[in-house]
Amino acid sequence: MVLSTKVQVNLAAEEGGYFNGNNVGDSNNDVNSYISWEDLEVGEESLELKSKKELRVIVVDQHGNKGHSKTVQGAVNMVPDHNKERVKIYIFPGTYREKVLVPKSKPYISFIGKRNGTASAVITWNSKSSDKGPNGQALGTYGSATVGIDSDYFCASQVTFENSVVAMPGGNGMQAVALRVNSNRAMFYKVKVKGTQDTLLDNTGTHYFYKCYIQGKIDFIFGSAKSLYEKCRLESIAESYGAIAAHHRDSAKQDTGFSFVGCKIRGSGSVYLGRAWGNYSRVIYSNCYMDDIINPQGWSEWNHPERKKTAVFGEYKNMGRGADRKERVPWSKAFNYEEARPFLGKSFINGDQWLRL
């Protein structure tokens, strides 16, 4: 495969973190402070970007035959700090056993895998919270992440993020994050996030997950962010009990929460829709299909009875055997349209300000 002539990368710079030629950070063009479909695509035949602008693409090939870096982290390191243009990192099919951090100092980065091949580019590691880090201290849940995204306007498509630790119910220190997102604004399209306990740490910021696959057993989507999950597949692999979402919110004034719209919930075990992590935890499911794996009570206050008065757990027009509310805890709520409306679309995440889709 012939690489784009627009890729101006010094291969020896993989560890140094710079571009040869016109440095991306020196561009005079105003940066596009939004995410568009173009940011999630490359022309695979020639790896030339479909744009009139001279944007950059870095190619990752673990075999070293076709790319500029053998590792995903090496490609991230090649992006200059405080870059002012979108940089697309195209990841060839393969299993990349590494931990990856996209730092806050490198905004406007895209991870792109092979078109129609979400499972073909897999970034995987096996850290858990009880493992020791370089300083001899336990990593903790935050530090266990296979991939950490701190970069603003980050987006990813057709890539799998995985933590291969297999957590057993009741096991200590088994939290094992596959993807941690701290970006102010980020989008994930047709990605897979696979783990068992605490799979996706949707930590802080405003995020959009569209047509993604997210797998786990216990609290496998958790954090304090404000995020819309639209048309996603939520797959429980619990043997017995588990929970899908654990949202943390400490005040009614905090404009955060998880909204699931048009998602499909399937798998195994008996799982809660959500657990109240924080007094004002907020999780809403709308127009979702729920298989019979949902615990009939639906929701848990996490052994904090006072949270029954303040947690916001809502359901609106869901379908399937798991959507039956006859045995739901009385402090959860069946929303009407007016109550559900703020959570039904991209306006929930102020999408008009940063998405061009």
Side-chain angles (χ1 to χ4, degrees), residues 3-13 17-24 47 54-59 68 78-80 85 87:
L3 295 178
S4 166
T5 57
K6 294 180 181 177
V7 180
Q8 301 179 9
V9 182
N10 186 331
L11 301 187
Y18 60 88
F19 281 95
N20 190 28
N22 294 327
N23 191 302
V24 174
L47 294 182
E54 189 181 79
L55 302 185
R56 306 304 201 267
V57 59
I58 301 173
V59 179
H68 307 100
M78 297 170 78
V79 179
E85 290 183 303
V87 179

Side-chain angles (χ1 to χ4, degrees), residues 242-304:
I244 297 170
H247 184 258
H248 188 272
R249 183 168 171 254
D250 290 323
S251 166
K253 296 181 180 179
Q254 290 178 345
D255 187 18
T256 59
F258 295 158
S259 177
F260 299 91
V261 178
C263 296
K264 291 184 178 179
I265 304 171
R266 292 178 171 164
S268 60
S270 175
V271 297
Y272 289 110
L273 291 169
R275 301 206 291 174
W277 184 31
N279 290 340
Y280 291 82
S281 175
R282 184 162 68 173
V283 182
I284 296 91
Y285 291 85
S286 306
N287 300 315
C288 293
Y289 173 84
M290 301 178 179
D291 216 340
D292 60 0
I293 64 168
I294 303 302
N295 183 307
Q297 292 187 328
W299 307 89
S300 167
E301 89 287 357
W302 215 326
N303 297 320
H304 289 268

